[in-house]
Amino acid sequence: MKFALLILTVCSIFLTNIGTHAQTPKDFSAVWEKQHISDIFPSNVRHKDLQKYLEDLKKVGLKVEEVGKSYGNREIYQVEWGTGKTKILMWSQMHGDEPTATSALVDMFAFLQKNRDKDWVKKLGNALTIRAVPMLNPDGAELFSRRNLQSIDINRDARALETPEGRLLKKLRDDFSPDIGFNLHNQGSLTTVGNTPKQATISLLAVSGNAEGKSNDGHTRSKRICAVMIAALNQFIKGHIGRYDDSYNPRAFGDMISAWGTPVILIETGALYRKDEMFLVKLNFIAFLSALHSIAGGSEKKANPNVYDTLPFNDSGNLYNFIFRKANIINFAETTEPFTADISINVERRRAGENDSTFVQEIGDLSIYAGLEEFDVSDFYLIPKNGLLKVGASGEFLFYKKRRKIDWTDENLVEKFPPDAHFSNGKWIKGLK
Ligand SMILES: [Zn+2]
């Protein structure tokens, strides 16, 4: 009898746990892999692609409405899900060339709607009303430019409200009066966690909303929610999470929306070496659902804001895309006398699939810096393909083994003396051997 009772107790604990099973970041990752509907790299998502995604969301029953128009007359949309008391507003791609979160929002809404009968999703919808504007700056997205079609940075327009997109965001905030805002951006791929060579793949900021950086309850809650996201993301990108610079800017929406009464959390997506854009979409998806799950279930109240406070700040200038170490440089346009130096090269941000454009960033002693890729070229002469080596020039180089006898003044240098290696647009056309 006692044994039967024990079995019954164990079974009931087991069953209860299934019912209220805490969703883990690994669950969110697995579910994104299986169910995500975004199917092209975010940097290639144009306004018409977003419209296609939104049609798919409508088909599964989501509320999608046109809420305004851009300066270039493109429709701006808001998606809504849930009926709960706590109001969440999320907006992405206020900067047109910062697209990751737009795809992640689409995937998140598709997931929530399709799984609305699951216990924990039902609880989420009963606790929260989520509204989101994916792609606030569709003209910028079309041009893959930060600014809108007036060439104004919408994120410096919170006070003057000279852009239709800025006015719309303020109106949506004022009409809804959300409890928490999520401001979703991308940062440079070479942003680092502190002065380490580690890329800041995700950076977070709990916005204080005042010049003095004073804290209030909403700000502390934002820090706790950040702590939840840090714990979740640590399972995938430990050491690659930074804290975004928190200097107050009265023209920026994050600061002004916080000042207007909606504490804002900023999520900045960077990059991770050898991981593609879809990996970053997945990280956003995991961060969003982890945050929302903890807000709805109340577990964020137990999170430690110190986890956020002790996160290292973002830094820049420590990391380059490529470093060529100890190059024996021959500027044959000027002289044939070689000199030895390190050279760093960076890649400009482009849409996926477009040819990378590279430029020389620094020349000299780069021993204190790191490159995502580094090459010891001490056994080679390095010849800049297009004239004089200088900062800002294109990073196309020819390499010759030092033991070869070359006439650097020959007009048909490349034909007469084929190089041993050739680096162009961030790629080895012919590799170092
Ligand atoms: Zn931005």
Side-chain angles (χ1 to χ4, degrees), residues 95 98 146 155 185-186 268:
H95 292 140
E98 301 181 11
R146 175 183 177 88
N155 207 23
H185 289 254
N186 285 79
E268 292 272 352

Side-chain angles (χ1 to χ4, degrees), residues 327 337 386 403:
E337 200 58 49
N386 309 307
R403 59 181 151 76

Side-chain angles (χ1 to χ4, degrees), residues 240-413:
H240 289 276
I241 305 171
R243 197 173 144 193
Y244 199 78
D245 167 35
D246 59 357
S247 53
Y248 176 75
N249 185 335
R251 301 180 304 153
F253 267 101
D255 290 297
M256 290 316 289
I257 286 182
S258 299
W260 297 329
T262 297
V264 169
I265 295 168
L266 172 72
I267 304 180
E268 292 272 352
T269 300
L272 191 59
Y273 183 58
R274 294 229 156 113
K275 294 285 189 185
D276 69 14
E277 289 187 48
M278 296 314 276
F279 174 76
L280 302 171
V281 173
K282 181 171 81 169
L283 292 180
N284 273 244
F285 179 87
I286 293 165
F288 299 167
L289 280 183
S290 300
L292 297 174
H293 185 47
S294 76
I295 297 165
S299 65
E300 62 83 5
K301 293 195 177 69
K302 285 175 269 168
N304 181 0
N306 232 2
V307 172
Y308 167 81
D309 284 326
T310 54
L311 208 58
F313 275 107
N314 272 1
D315 202 350
S316 63
N318 309 303
L319 183 65
Y320 298 97
N321 284 108
F322 303 96
I323 292 183
F324 298 90
R325 300 274 182 208
K326 300 205 171 357
N328 303 286
I329 298 151
I330 294 185
N331 269 327
F332 68 86
E334 288 293 315
T335 168
T336 54
E337 200 58 49
F339 67 97
T340 307
D342 304 330
I343 303 172
S344 68
I345 284 185
N346 280 351
V347 178
E348 264 173 32
R349 189 194 295 195
R350 289 283 173 95
R351 289 189 203 273
E354 283 180 5
N355 233 348
D356 285 341
S357 145
T358 54
F359 55 95
V360 175
Q361 190 74 19
E362 196 53 271
I363 305 161
D365 174 7
L366 304 181
S367 55
I368 60 166
Y369 301 122
L372 288 174
E373 294 186 36
E374 298 196 2
F375 307 99
D376 177 347
V377 291
S378 54
D379 289 340
F380 293 84
Y381 289 118
L382 180 152
I383 287 84
K385 177 98 192 307
N386 309 307
L388 200 64
L389 178 75
K390 57 183 178 207
V391 170
S394 89
E396 184 164 3
F397 301 142
L398 306 173
F399 295 86
Y400 290 87
K401 283 186 180 136
K402 273 174 82 178
R403 59 181 151 76
R404 277 177 71 183
K405 287 277 166 281
I406 311 283
D407 176 9
W408 304 112
T409 58
D410 197 300
E411 279 183 16
N412 300 312
L413 178 76

Side-chain angles (χ1 to χ4, degrees), residues 55-92:
E55 279 308 313
D56 291 344
L57 293 185
K58 274 196 231 170
K59 272 183 213 149
V60 295
L62 271 148
K63 187 174 161 191
V64 178
E65 56 176 335
E66 185 190 321
V67 285
K69 288 251 171 68
S70 68
Y71 185 75
N73 217 31
R74 290 190 171 87
E75 298 82 0
I76 301 173
Y77 301 93
Q78 181 171 263
V79 188
E80 181 175 325
W81 185 88
T83 55
K85 202 164 84 309
T86 303
K87 294 182 280 184
I88 312 281
L89 181 63
M90 309 172 85
W91 60 96
S92 73

